[in-house]
Amino acid sequence: MRLFVDTADFDEIAAAVGWGVISGVTTNPTLIARAGQDHETQVKRICELVADVSAETVTEKKNDLIVEGRRIASWHENVIVKVACTPDGIAAGKVLAGEGVKINVTLCFTVNQALLAAAIGAYFISPFVGRLDDIGEDGIAVVRGIVDAYRQQGITTKVLAASLRHPMHVTQSALAGADIATMPFKVLEQMYKHPLTDSGIERFMSDYRKTQEPQALGQRSGR
Ligand code: G3P
């Protein structure tokens, strides 16, 4: 499973890229607004750091979405255009996909919505796990259902588990068979963490320092 960060914060993306574990970024209008930058400028900057950068459309009608999608796709070869799972979004996505634009169908909450995305040759489908959990549904079960349906149908659209809120969502996405998990930077940081890793390092370092004390060095050299 590939790991993406779900942020438009340039410093966070640069740090995550530096760690060598992420291979893509997802953004949405909320995250762009939080970054306090103009959409085009920020997406272009992010595309210089990493491939597979999802950038979201904000118009609603099919023809407007097609024009907007073409414009966003022209920003950089690494851009993937996000359209919402609505009749207009899917119809526009079909036209754009036919022109060779990579499409990420977003705001997906059911297997049926994922089948609609597959029907237009979407590159990614983004089931929103946390938002389903928020309303008392099982977000990971939807990811698992999409993965199973795609497998049975031989569909090549990649399942991008989104709206992940904590490290267990990442583990569960992997076990459900997601192709990609996109997560806030904080969750990526949390993936590294375990108290036994911290205490283990502390102990190894302490023992190592003991071997560097003059007495220990003397003993080893037989003095
Ligand atoms: O990638 C989609 C994601 O940004 C939504 O996350 O936490 O706002 O539901 P959240």
Side-chain angles (χ1 to χ4, degrees), residues 6 26 28 31 82 128 131 162-163 165 182:
D6 191 35
T26 49
N28 61 38
L31 296 171
K82 276 172 111 174
F128 274 28
R131 291 193 194 185
S163 182
R165 305 276 175 73
T182 189

Side-chain angles (χ1 to χ4, degrees), residues 21-220:
V21 291
I22 69 142
S23 58
V25 169
T26 49
T27 67
N28 61 38
T30 307
L31 296 171
I32 293 285
R34 206 175 287 158
Q37 289 285 338
D38 152 72
H39 194 193
E40 179 175 348
T41 308
Q42 194 67 350
V43 168
K44 283 179 172 170
R45 279 181 87 200
I46 297 168
C47 285
E48 290 304 319
L49 282 185
V50 66
D52 284 352
V53 177
S54 288
E56 190 149 348
T57 49
V58 288
T59 49
E60 288 175 86
K61 295 287 170 214
K62 176 183 170 184
N63 289 338
D64 296 335
L65 281 162
I66 292 169
V67 171
E68 189 189 6
R70 285 181 184 139
R71 187 170 54 80
I72 292 175
S74 75
W75 290 345
H76 199 284
E77 61 185 5
N78 291 352
V79 166
I80 294 161
V81 174
K82 276 172 111 174
V83 294
C85 191
T86 63
D88 283 283
I90 294 288
K94 181 171 185 175
V95 173
L96 293 165
E99 295 173 359
V101 175
K102 287 178 177 169
I103 297 297
N104 177 350
V105 174
T106 189
L107 290 164
C108 168
F109 299 96
T110 66
V111 175
N112 280 343
Q113 289 180 318
L115 292 173
L116 293 169
I120 60 144
Y123 189 59
F124 290 152
I125 180 67
S126 294
F128 274 28
V129 173
R131 291 193 194 185
L132 280 165
D133 290 359
D134 287 346
I135 59 162
E137 294 189 30
D138 185 347
I140 290 296
V142 172
V143 173
R144 194 177 304 112
I146 295 169
V147 168
D148 288 350
Y150 278 12
R151 200 170 288 153
Q152 285 187 42
Q153 300 294 328
I155 291 165
T156 55
T157 300
K158 301 286 180 211
V159 180
L160 191 166
S163 182
L164 305 182
R165 305 276 175 73
H166 51 70
M168 277 313 293
H169 271 159
V170 181
T171 304
Q172 291 163 344
S173 295
L175 293 172
D179 298 290
I180 303 150
T182 189
M183 68 203 79
F185 182 74
K186 183 189 72 166
V187 175
L188 180 66
E189 284 183 312
Q190 287 173 316
M191 284 179 71
Y192 287 85
K193 297 283 182 197
H194 195 279
L196 291 178
T197 304
D198 295 339
S199 61
I201 289 171
E202 211 169 287
R203 182 156 166 202
F204 285 151
M205 292 306 290
S206 153
D207 289 342
Y208 170 73
R209 276 191 295 273
K210 285 180 202 155
T211 68
Q212 299 304 297
E213 286 162 9
Q215 192 190 355
L217 290 172
Q219 276 168 6
R220 274 193 307 199

